[in-house]
Amino acid sequence: MSGSSLRSFEYLESLPGTVFNRLYQQPSTALAIFRRMLTHLAKTFVMAMLYIGHPLSVADLESWVRPDSRRERDQAINLLERLHILRVTAEPGKPRAYTITNPFLGSLRLALTGGGNHNSFGVPCNTLDKNPISVAELDEYARRRWEGVLGYMVGSAGASLVDEGVRLSDGVKKLLKDGGLVKQRLSKAEITQEGFAFILQEVNAQVWTVLIYYLDAAEEMNMDSVDVLSFLFMLGSLELGQDYSKATLTPTQLQMLDDLSDFGIVYQHATTSTRFYPTRLATTLTSDSGALRSASAGFDNALRSPDGKGFIVIETNYRVYAYTTSQLQIAILQLFTRLSTRYPNMVAGKITRESIRHAVAMGITSEQIISFLTTHAHPQMRKNNPILPATVVDQIRLWQIEGERMKATPGFLFKDFLTAADFEACSKYAEEIGVSVWKNENRRMFFVTRYEQVAAYLKNRPKKIAGN
């Protein structure tokens, strides 16, 4: 199961059975879960039982699988039961049997054979668009919007990378913050450890991660979470390049269109438009993740070079050369590298103790940095074994351990108090004003980050105290 499937499956598994009953009323949802969430063996069980018309005994189902594949069989059955697709029936005088639950049974049949007026797979517009949008334009729109989100996350640590034509809404920024992908520090946002891990995922997994956060916030926005989830599965079943009517959408789904437009998942000419276009980010929601990795799909991962190859060269002296013009790629490098020179098609810099400690302070781990450098190593680097210089890898890990083992705090040490009462009064005052870092009562000394107020307090005390 891919990362995006696992993320969505974990969310689905947490839902109660009553929610599944509502979800499975939509054929698009039943088909999406069948395609995306089930293993090959689980799909085989479902298709074999879909039209038999009666429960299948446990013994019969077990006989379909070889004895040496018992583990895979149990895993498939357990998966189907957790998704409320399969249940066990036990009638008096009859052996235990499996049956496919309703409404999943009826909805999957409808999805496979067609028919009905459920509008579960969207309603294509029956009038021509005066300003039609091509697939290439949709891909470019989705790319710019999604890179705008990623640019905000990594640009928050340095230069502003959000495209001048892309302005993130307050709702998008709040969702990223509530999801723990960025954190607020003073007046700016900074990427977190979870945010950097998010950056390293393939696009489909990134989209599902954001959508799960959106689902978690649905109730806060007075939206029906089941309606939200059903609409997401419907988007995954739509055709790229086709415009669809808004006439059959619920108020919740209409609100979602505006929100999803901010991420580039759907396109609208305007919020008042009567039609919308799903982008590739939407149509691949319930397809194999490989669809986004293929160059022919027309949507490359924003972190990859245009030719799909790695772009980073690292030397044993910690020098880094990145053959890229992407502002997003450069900004990610800048999270843990001190860049010094920029050329038309390359940037150069160096991995230093300070740059790694800065990244670690933001929550980025050494393993994440090493994984990023390995994943995006230049083809010339890949001829080496190991790919990255061992000295560089070991030193990155040591710099993180150093930061975890010892934390340096600049400040001032007050000591040599004549009496315990004088020490207690001054150390208590330092704690009250929030500058105290450490104290030792036995040795009558304490350490503060700022000394001015403490020094003034000492000066104004009626009894003179020796030294500081």
Side-chain angles (χ1 to χ4, degrees):
M1 191 177 290
S2 67
S4 53
S5 294
L6 182 62
R7 187 79 174 86
S8 50
F9 174 75
E10 289 174 348
Y11 179 84
L12 285 173
E13 192 179 18
S14 67
L15 301 176
T18 53
V19 172
F20 280 94
N21 287 335
R22 291 182 58 193
L23 281 174
Y24 289 154
Q25 291 175 7
Q26 298 297 325
S28 59
T29 301
L31 181 61
I33 290 178
F34 175 82
R35 291 170 56 193
R36 188 67 169 166
M37 306 296 174
L38 303 187
T39 62
H40 290 298
L41 186 56
K43 291 177 182 177
T44 301
F45 288 159
V46 171
M47 291 305 298
M49 299 173 62
L50 196 59
Y51 290 100
I52 62 175
H54 59 81
L56 182 71
S57 69
V58 173
D60 287 342
L61 186 142
E62 291 179 349
S63 67
W64 293 352
V65 182
R66 294 189 315 230
D68 59 346
S69 299
R70 181 177 178 180
R71 180 180 177 183
E72 289 79 3
R73 180 201 67 200
D74 292 343
Q75 288 176 343
I77 293 174
N78 180 258
L79 174 62
L80 292 171
E81 289 178 337
R82 282 184 290 166
L83 290 174
H84 298 268
I85 295 174
L86 202 66
R87 64 183 177 89
V88 177
T89 60
E91 298 182 10
K94 293 184 179 181
R96 293 173 64 249
Y98 289 113
T99 184
I100 297 180
T101 60
N102 261 318
F104 183 88
L105 177 70
S107 293
L108 186 58
R109 285 179 178 178
L110 267 180
L112 296 177
T113 60
N117 58 354
H118 46 79
N119 297 326
S120 179
F121 295 96
V123 179
C125 288
N126 53 15
T127 58
L128 293 177
D129 189 351
K130 295 180 180 179
N131 300 295
I133 303 297
S134 67
V135 171
E137 290 172 323
L138 286 174
D139 282 344
E140 177 61 17
Y141 169 79
R143 182 194 64 78
R144 290 178 63 247
R145 297 299 308 189
W146 194 252
E147 284 196 3
V149 174
L150 301 181
Y152 168 75
M153 292 176 59
V154 297
S156 58
S160 177
L161 295 175
V162 180
D163 191 303
E164 291 185 359
V166 177
R167 289 291 179 267
L168 298 187
S169 66
D170 292 337
V172 171
K173 294 178 181 178
K174 183 178 185 300
L175 192 65
L176 296 175
K177 181 181 176 183
D178 292 345
L181 301 181
V182 297
K183 61 183 177 182
Q184 197 72 26
R185 179 171 292 182
L186 299 178
S187 60
K188 66 177 183 178
E190 285 189 354
I191 193 169
T192 63
Q193 178 180 341
E194 292 77 13
F196 193 75
F198 173 87
I199 291 290
L200 298 181
Q201 295 175 344
E202 46 97 8
V203 175
N204 194 266
Q206 291 176 346
V207 174
W208 265 113
T209 298
V210 168
L211 292 179
I212 296 300
Y213 294 147
Y214 187 83
L215 281 162
D216 290 338
E219 292 185 5
E220 182 182 332
M221 297 184 290
N222 298 319
M223 301 170 73
D224 184 355
S225 58
V226 176
D227 202 6
V228 172
L229 192 54
S230 296
F231 187 59
L232 295 177
F233 284 126
M234 186 196 83
L235 288 176
S237 68
L238 302 184
E239 180 182 349
L240 183 65
Q242 172 67 53
D243 53 337
Y244 291 86
S245 173
K246 294 183 181 179
T248 59
L249 301 184
T250 65
T252 291
Q253 293 169 349
L254 290 174
Q255 180 182 342
M256 285 182 65
L257 283 180
D258 295 337
D259 297 333
L260 297 181
S261 295
D262 291 335
F263 291 101
I265 297 174
V266 296
Y267 172 82
Q268 305 178 90
H269 292 304
T271 55
T272 56
S273 176
T274 58
R275 69 186 73 221
F276 71 94
Y277 290 82
T279 70
R280 201 177 299 274
L281 291 178
T283 59
T284 54
L285 279 174
T286 56
S287 66
D288 292 334
S289 60
L292 286 180
R293 294 177 182 268
S294 170
S296 62
F299 198 141
D300 293 331
N301 189 315
L303 302 183
R304 298 190 176 201
S305 298
D307 58 2
K309 298 179 180 179
F311 58 92
I312 299 175
V313 174
I314 307 175
E315 297 179 340
T316 54
N317 60 1
Y318 308 102
R319 295 289 300 176
V320 177
Y321 305 92
Y323 294 88
T324 181
T325 58
S326 168
Q327 293 297 315
L328 181 57
Q329 293 169 343
I330 293 171
I332 293 174
L333 271 177
Q334 203 166 8
L335 293 175
F336 55 85
T337 306
R338 182 172 60 83
L339 299 181
S340 57
T341 311
R342 180 173 298 197
Y343 299 99
N345 66 336
M346 184 190 78
V347 293
K350 190 174 185 178
I351 293 177
T352 66
R353 177 174 178 266
E354 289 72 23
S355 66
I356 295 298
R357 291 185 63 182
H358 175 69
V360 170
M362 291 191 294
I364 301 172
T365 67
S366 59
E367 294 304 320
Q368 287 177 325
I369 295 172
I370 294 167
S371 174
F372 177 83
L373 294 173
T374 303
T375 301
H376 303 289
H378 192 277
Q380 198 67 28
M381 294 284 297
R382 295 189 174 278
K383 296 179 182 179
N384 304 329
N385 186 20
I387 296 175
L388 302 181
T391 53
V392 175
V393 172
D394 291 343
Q395 190 60 64
I396 290 175
R397 291 193 176 112
L398 288 172
W399 279 330
Q400 177 179 350
I401 294 173
E402 178 187 82
E404 294 173 347
R405 180 182 59 197
M406 180 176 62
K407 181 180 179 181
T409 302
F412 307 88
L413 180 67
F414 285 78
K415 61 180 182 178
D416 298 331
F417 290 88
L418 296 179
T419 66
D422 292 331
F423 166 78
E424 286 294 335
C426 291
S427 63
K428 183 178 180 181
Y429 177 76
E431 291 174 353
E432 289 174 349
I433 62 176
V435 297
S436 178
V437 176
W438 170 87
K439 72 176 182 179
N440 187 314
E441 295 179 357
N442 293 331
R443 300 176 64 181
R444 294 180 185 173
M445 59 175 61
F446 63 90
F447 190 84
V448 295
T449 54
R450 297 185 66 88
Y451 74 92
E452 293 87 349
Q453 289 178 276
V454 179
Y457 177 81
L458 289 170
K459 184 178 180 180
N460 295 329
R461 279 181 62 80
K463 185 177 180 179
K464 187 177 179 180
I465 303 175
N468 70 342

